[in-house]
Amino acid sequence: LGLQPGRSAFLFFSTQGPGTTPLTPLGLSLDIAGARPAALLSRVPPGAATWTLPIPASAAGHTWWMQAAQAGLSTRVLEVAVQ
C-alpha cells in the first residue's frame, strides 16, 4: 500500500476521476480530482489495510476512484466499477 503501519490513514474517493486534490494538512496532493473523505483507519495493521464502507444503491453502474493517505504518504489510485 505504501502506508506506515501503526499510524492513522484516511481513505478518500472521487466520482470525477484522475486529477489533483491538494491536502495541505497531510502535506501532499492526491491523484484524484475532487477527492472527498470516505473513512479513517485509526491504526494501519502491518501488511494490508481494509475499510468497510456502506455504498449507496445509486452508485451502481458508476466508477469511483479511491486513494488512501497519511501525513506525507499516499497509495496508488484504485479505480472501482460499482456493480
Side-chain angles (χ1 to χ4, degrees):
L1 281 179
L3 300 175
Q4 294 290 322
R7 294 175 48 204
S8 296
F10 302 90
L11 180 65
F12 296 88
F13 77 97
S14 169
T15 57
Q16 298 176 28
T20 302
T21 301
L23 293 178
T24 305
L26 295 180
L28 55 85
S29 290
L30 294 176
D31 299 319
I32 53 178
R36 294 184 277 178
L40 167 68
L41 185 61
S42 60
R43 188 166 184 231
V44 175
T50 60
W51 284 271
T52 302
L53 304 169
I55 306 296
S58 60
H62 297 278
T63 300
W64 288 17
W65 291 263
M66 320 241 1
Q67 190 171 17
Q70 294 175 317
L73 299 170
S74 63
T75 64
R76 64 181 177 82
V77 174
L78 178 64
E79 184 176 322
V80 179
V82 181
Q83 298 180 0

